[in-house]
Amino acid sequence: MQVDAAAGDHAQHALILTGVLEGPTARELLTVMADTLPDPVPELVVVDIAGVRFLGSQGLRCLMACRRHVESRGGRMVLRNPAPMAERILYIAGMLDSFGLSMTAQGTSVPTAYRIETAATAEMVGAADTAEVT
């Protein structure tokens, strides 16, 4: 994984991530985040993840730890430009909102395979609730 810091000011700082965010690279990101953030922390830290090819569970935990680190120092961290794979992972994990993302704001939609069809789901749940165990 590669982390590049973009020019910023006292109000905003940007990091651009490329590669795989999992395991050792996730731990590396937390170190880089702690080492590169200016003091005082800018109001907004933007992490561009367009170049992230894989986002695993350790990568998700790392992003949450980075967000907590920024917030503990008075800033706010958001993700921008997620690749479709990363966007799906964040959606499934229920983390889009916590990182300042929404499907409609990004101009994308959740693939049909990840949508919950309410009528069909309600019918299946109702059937499961009334089924008898034999």
Side-chain angles (χ1 to χ4, degrees), residues 13 15 30 33-34 36-38 40-47 62-78 99:
H13 181 73
L15 295 174
L30 191 53
M33 173 74 77
T36 62
L37 277 178
V41 170
E43 295 170 22
L44 183 64
V45 176
V46 177
V47 180
C62 175
L63 289 173
M64 291 174 9
C66 288
R67 190 186 75 214
R68 284 191 303 271
H69 177 73
V70 169
E71 288 174 352
S72 73
R73 296 180 61 200
R76 188 174 132 231
M77 184 182 116
V78 296
F99 286 108

Side-chain angles (χ1 to χ4, degrees), residues 8-77:
D9 56 28
H10 69 283
Q12 184 171 321
H13 181 73
L15 295 174
I16 301 165
L17 308 183
T18 54
V20 173
L21 187 52
E22 179 65 1
T25 60
R27 288 186 290 280
E28 176 187 336
L29 173 60
L30 191 53
T31 301
V32 169
M33 173 74 77
D35 291 347
T36 62
L37 277 178
D39 191 26
V41 170
E43 295 170 22
L44 183 64
V45 176
V46 177
V47 180
D48 187 300
I49 60 171
V52 173
R53 295 186 318 268
F54 180 78
L55 177 61
S57 61
Q58 290 177 344
L60 286 173
R61 282 193 296 274
C62 175
L63 289 173
M64 291 174 9
C66 288
R67 190 186 75 214
R68 284 191 303 271
H69 177 73
V70 169
E71 288 174 352
S72 73
R73 296 180 61 200
R76 188 174 132 231
M77 184 182 116

Side-chain angles (χ1 to χ4, degrees), residues 2 12 21-22 27 38 64 86-87 91-92 101-102 109 120 130:
Q2 181 176 339
Q12 184 171 321
L21 187 52
E22 179 65 1
R27 288 186 290 280
M64 291 174 9
E87 188 174 46
Y91 171 77
I92 291 167
L101 295 169
S102 70
S109 62
T130 59

